[in-house]
Amino acid sequence: MSSYAEAFRQSVDDPETFWLDAARGVDWVDAPTRALDGSDAPTFRWFPDGTLNTSVNALDRHVQAGHGDRTALIWDSAMVPAKRTYTYSELLAEVATFAGVLRDQGVVAGDRVIVYMPMIPEAAVAMLACARIGAVHSVVFGGFAAKELATRIDDARPVLLVTASGGLEPGRTIEYLPMVEQAVTLSQTPPHTVIVKNRDSIPGAAADYKTSSAAWFDWDELVADASPADPVTVAATDPLYILYTSGTTGKPKGVVRDNGGHAVALTWSMRAIYDISAGDVWWTASDVGWVVGHSYIVYGPLLVGATTVMYEGKPVGTPDAGAFWRIISENGVRALFTAPTAIRAVRKADPEAAELAKYDISSLQTLFAAGERLDPDTYEWATRVLDRPVVDHWWQTETGWAIAANLRGLDPMPLKAGSPTVPVPGYRVEIVDGEGRAVEAGTEGNIVIALPLPPGTLTGLWQDEDRYRRSYLDTFPGYYLTGDSGYIDEDGYVFVLGRSDDVINVAGHRLSTGSMEAVVASHPAVAECAVIGIRDELKGQRPSGYVVLKAGADIEPETLRQELIAMVRDQIGAVATFRDVTVVQALPKTRSGKILRKTMRQIADHEQYTVPSTIEDPAVLEALEQQLGG
Ligand code: COA
Ligand code: AMP
């Protein structure tokens, strides 16, 4: 039996042995004697009697083992530009001191702390400092605007918010503090404290701000007066973080991650999936605001004592399409993990990879891709120009680590274009039809995972057990619903084709069409609207809005478009990249009033479709076909 098959079999037949064995890769205060607690099924807990501290595992243990001088983090900003390196001892000192700051501000274990930061080392320091004192961080991506930040504040109810004066995007500076001020003002449950890391290049300082509900402090001033905090031991089942992700409605889902299962799963994944160990240089080109950034910029690489690269910049234009290759060559990067959109952007700017020839990237063993489908064309191009394995793997915010992958450290398998390879040990992936019946190999259906999910996956949605069960567990009892559709071929390879719900994926960013619809519908001229994700050559998908005007509304289509773009940008953020607006006479609906978004998407993408039998008025679809289908 291959080592993959053996590991998978054991993970399914004897999960206790498999995961208790994996748990030995983690330093516990009280080592767990049991792996799985199924007493509250279908909600499961891992390592119910284990206790630990995640930040001790990421930092202290390596320093205590004599590796304090090893590089923990390399920060490279193509935007400033600047570079800074932290050894494990240095990063530990910064984290312990900032944990002292949080403690001095009254933050205790279990309290929530919002981290709204650009890609600077202090973002990782803030996350690890929370983990050190048992506080629960909730990182909000810097590309989200004030209203989205306020929504997350109201759900997480943080006691404190950590931010910076701003972020740097090509050609413009994003000032964070006016947005934080607005969010704190909008919020029903604002934090009592805001801490601001001032960046020299970006105006705005804590001293310039005052909100009635919160005191604002300067990061450096607080750090100068603080003493380091000792780590607080937490239960393996205690929450480490909440990360909000887009669901089908406008209200984001607060995915909760525990401490113990997370540390075990990520440690296991670094070696088995990515083939990365202590001392290796690892680079995830993403943002700490996404799950990929949580797991593989911050926690995963540090848990195994590797060096993590944190990059502030873009794959192209900062300054050119050689940015990725420069960083690999300067730092001896062994593996790079990025989103397919980033590879497509490099390809578009430099189709013959002329930039690549300027750098020595001999250290690079593997390019990993996730966040959206790695289309075969992009896969072939990257494989050709890099002459190395280009490895797709599939996962979600909810799972926190890969569901399907080609396990480079356990048992590398032949790669197939368009497939993230096989289910990772611990994940019993199946394909079912709408009634929950298993389908034959090669037949498309809903991708589901038999419960329990392995360690490291979500333990629930923040204070919303009901929504957790409704969203993931109720549709097919005994299974977790991924929301993706796809198939498994005769060789057991998984193919993920796309979402089967109204979540869209734009440039590797998961966005909700529901939240965009809520903004568009609030325009005074709009009677009703639908936002769908249509195919985009560069970004995979892009949002496209269809609007029915109120009777008598007198507005030029271009004026309406500009106003709607500005509203979405202002209320959700630039990252929504909402630009397409089409005025239509009516939206196609079922007799029960449900908008036929899937059919609209098929028409816009020029795909074959069948008219649903439940359609209210087929003429609406015909009119739409003429307008969009061309
Ligand atoms: N703060 C403020 N604004 C931001 C932002 C941030 N952190 N990130 C992006 N934006 C803005 C961009 O400036 C852009 O604004 P514009 O419309 O005025 O030009 C807009 O949001 C859209 O951004 P994006 O779609 O990301 O395009 P881009 O050209 O800035 O970058 C990529 C393209 C490919 C580099 C980028 O999308 C990317 O890195 N994607 C991968 C995402 C990822 O890592 N996902 C996790 C899974 S691996
Ligand atoms: P997120 O929660 O932001 O990581 O987005 C998760 C969603 O992105 C998944 O449900 C998929 O729709 C999509 N996705 C992520 N990785 C892949 C992949 N390798 N192949 C296909 N789709 C992917």
Side-chain angles (χ1 to χ4, degrees):
M1 199 184 267
S2 71
S3 36
Y4 162 72
E6 172 56 26
F8 189 85
R9 189 201 54 74
Q10 196 194 30
S11 77
V12 167
D13 293 350
D14 186 8
E16 285 294 307
T17 304
F18 185 86
W19 289 114
L20 283 176
D21 197 31
R24 289 197 197 96
V26 166
D27 267 9
W28 301 88
V29 177
D30 297 297
T33 59
R34 289 159 59 209
L36 182 65
D37 174 4
S39 58
D40 193 24
T43 295
F44 295 86
R45 296 281 177 265
W46 288 95
F47 311 112
D49 59 355
T51 66
L52 77 164
N53 181 283
T54 297
S55 115
V56 165
N57 273 278
L59 300 169
D60 307 51
R61 69 182 294 203
H62 307 307
V63 175
Q64 283 156 15
H67 304 305
D69 292 338
R70 190 178 277 163
T71 305
L73 189 146
I74 299 168
W75 177 64
D76 186 311
S77 173
M79 308 305 299
V80 175
K83 199 167 166 176
R84 197 170 159 191
T85 295
Y86 297 74
T87 63
Y88 269 94
S89 294
E90 288 166 343
L91 191 58
L92 170 57
E94 299 242 353
V95 167
T97 307
F98 194 67
V101 166
L102 296 176
R103 176 204 56 203
D104 296 347
Q105 293 299 320
V107 181
V108 296
D111 282 347
R112 275 80 58 212
V113 172
I114 295 264
V115 177
Y116 183 61
M117 303 277 267
M119 284 289 284
I120 56 175
E122 286 77 7
V125 169
M127 292 164 73
L128 290 159
C130 289
R132 189 166 189 84
I133 59 168
V136 181
H137 60 71
S138 185
V139 183
V140 178
F141 176 59
F144 282 123
K147 197 160 165 282
E148 290 287 321
L149 177 57
T151 305
R152 287 156 175 78
I153 291 175
D154 280 339
D155 197 70
R157 297 171 175 249
V159 296
L160 189 144
L161 185 150
V162 190
T163 188
S165 52
L168 299 165
E169 285 293 298
R172 71 185 204 280
T173 296
I174 314 288
E175 290 184 39
Y176 278 25
L177 302 192
M179 283 193 281
V180 172
E181 182 183 41
Q182 199 190 338
V184 168
T185 309
L186 279 173
S187 162
Q188 305 294 312
T189 56
H192 59 57
T193 305
V194 175
I195 299 178
V196 180
K197 173 67 195 172
N198 186 259
R199 301 184 73 184
D200 295 341
S201 46
I202 301 174
D208 306 336
Y209 287 83
K210 206 180 263 161
T211 33
S212 55
S213 54
W216 293 56
F217 297 99
D218 179 74
W219 171 298
D220 294 311
E221 285 174 16
L222 293 180
V223 163
D225 289 339
S227 60
D230 288 333
V232 171
T233 300
V234 298
T237 52
D238 281 342
L240 170 68
Y241 69 76
I242 306 167
L243 179 58
Y244 288 90
T245 188
S246 299
T248 48
T249 67
K251 188 174 183 284
K253 292 170 163 174
V255 167
V256 181
R257 193 87 57 217
D258 65 7
N259 274 273
H262 175 256
V264 170
L266 290 195
T267 302
W268 188 86
S269 75
M270 285 307 295
R271 302 204 173 105
I273 298 178
Y274 302 108
D275 194 21
I276 293 290
S277 310
D280 289 338
V281 182
W282 161 263
W283 176 25
T284 299
S286 178
D287 190 287
V288 287
W290 307 114
V291 69
V292 171
H294 280 61
S295 295
Y296 295 113
I297 295 175
V298 181
Y299 287 109
L302 297 178
L303 283 168
V304 297
T307 299
T308 184
V309 178
M310 184 180 203
Y311 173 59
E312 183 180 42
K314 306 276 173 180
V316 297
T318 60
D320 53 39
F324 276 12
W325 322 134
R326 170 184 71 76
I327 292 179
I328 293 169
S329 73
E330 279 180 14
N331 301 296
V333 171
R334 180 178 161 88
L336 165 63
F337 173 0
T338 192
T341 298
I343 307 172
R344 286 195 294 269
V346 173
R347 178 186 182 181
K348 191 169 172 220
D350 184 17
E352 291 312 315
E355 290 295 334
L356 181 56
K358 297 181 189 165
Y359 298 94
D360 172 7
I361 62 153
S362 51
S363 62
L364 188 76
Q365 304 276 314
T366 319
L367 172 65
F368 292 95
E372 57 185 308
R373 181 164 180 266
L374 176 62
D375 58 285
D377 208 30
T378 305
Y379 164 80
E380 305 287 0
W381 180 82
T383 306
R384 178 171 63 78
V385 302
L386 289 173
D387 195 21
R388 290 166 173 75
V390 175
V391 179
D392 185 13
H393 58 317
W394 165 60
W395 48 298
Q396 322 179 297
T397 306
E398 288 85 344
T399 63
W401 63 295
I403 308 166
N406 196 302
L407 295 107
R408 308 307 292 175
L410 178 71
D411 189 3
M413 293 181 177
L415 293 159
K416 285 193 194 184
S419 168
T421 314
V422 289
V424 168
Y427 290 98
R428 285 178 290 156
V429 178
E430 295 177 30
I431 312 289
V432 297
D433 65 15
E435 271 71 54
R437 288 181 302 243
V439 300
E440 304 218 323
T443 306
E444 187 180 341
N446 301 292
I447 316 184
V448 295
I449 306 169
L451 295 173
L453 296 180
T457 54
L458 82 171
T459 57
L461 294 180
W462 180 248
Q463 299 203 322
D464 203 345
E465 177 73 13
D466 197 47
R467 188 176 184 198
Y468 167 56
R469 293 196 181 208
R470 261 188 292 121
S471 304
Y472 305 108
L473 308 180
D474 289 352
T475 312
F476 302 115
Y479 292 92
Y480 164 86
L481 181 71
T482 65
D484 281 310
S485 65
Y487 64 93
I488 299 180
D489 76 5
E490 301 280 354
D491 301 326
Y493 277 53
V494 178
F495 288 75
V496 183
L497 301 174
R499 298 284 308 190
S500 48
D501 55 17
D502 296 330
V503 167
I504 61 171
N505 198 313
V506 183
H509 304 138
R510 175 165 158 185
L511 299 168
S512 146
T513 54
S515 65
M516 290 186 226
E517 284 179 4
V519 176
V520 173
S522 70
H523 189 285
V526 172
E528 60 175 345
C529 67
V531 176
I532 57 172
I534 63 169
R535 204 172 292 141
D536 184 89
E537 216 177 283
L538 182 63
K539 300 195 174 184
Q541 281 186 305
R542 67 172 192 274
S544 190
Y546 299 86
V547 171
V548 179
L549 294 181
K550 282 184 182 154
D554 185 17
I555 186 165
E556 284 296 317
E558 182 53 23
T559 310
L560 177 70
R561 191 177 82 88
Q562 293 297 343
E563 289 180 8
L564 291 175
I565 291 173
M567 283 168 71
V568 173
R569 203 175 166 93
D570 182 51
Q571 294 184 42
I572 297 178
V575 69
T577 50
F578 180 82
R579 308 225 203 292
D580 300 359
V581 175
T582 307
V583 175
V584 294
Q585 290 305 313
L587 295 171
K589 290 183 188 165
T590 62
R591 283 190 286 276
S592 59
K594 202 168 172 292
I595 297 172
L596 293 165
R597 291 186 178 75
K598 184 176 173 196
T599 317
M600 291 177 73
R601 182 183 58 69
Q602 287 170 320
I603 293 175
D605 286 344
H606 306 288
E607 282 176 14
Q608 292 280 348
Y609 68 96
T610 42
V611 179
S613 57
T614 53
I615 191 159
E616 185 190 37
D617 180 2
V620 175
L621 219 48
E622 283 156 27
L624 202 65
E625 167 103 48
Q626 278 182 6
Q627 202 171 347
L628 304 184

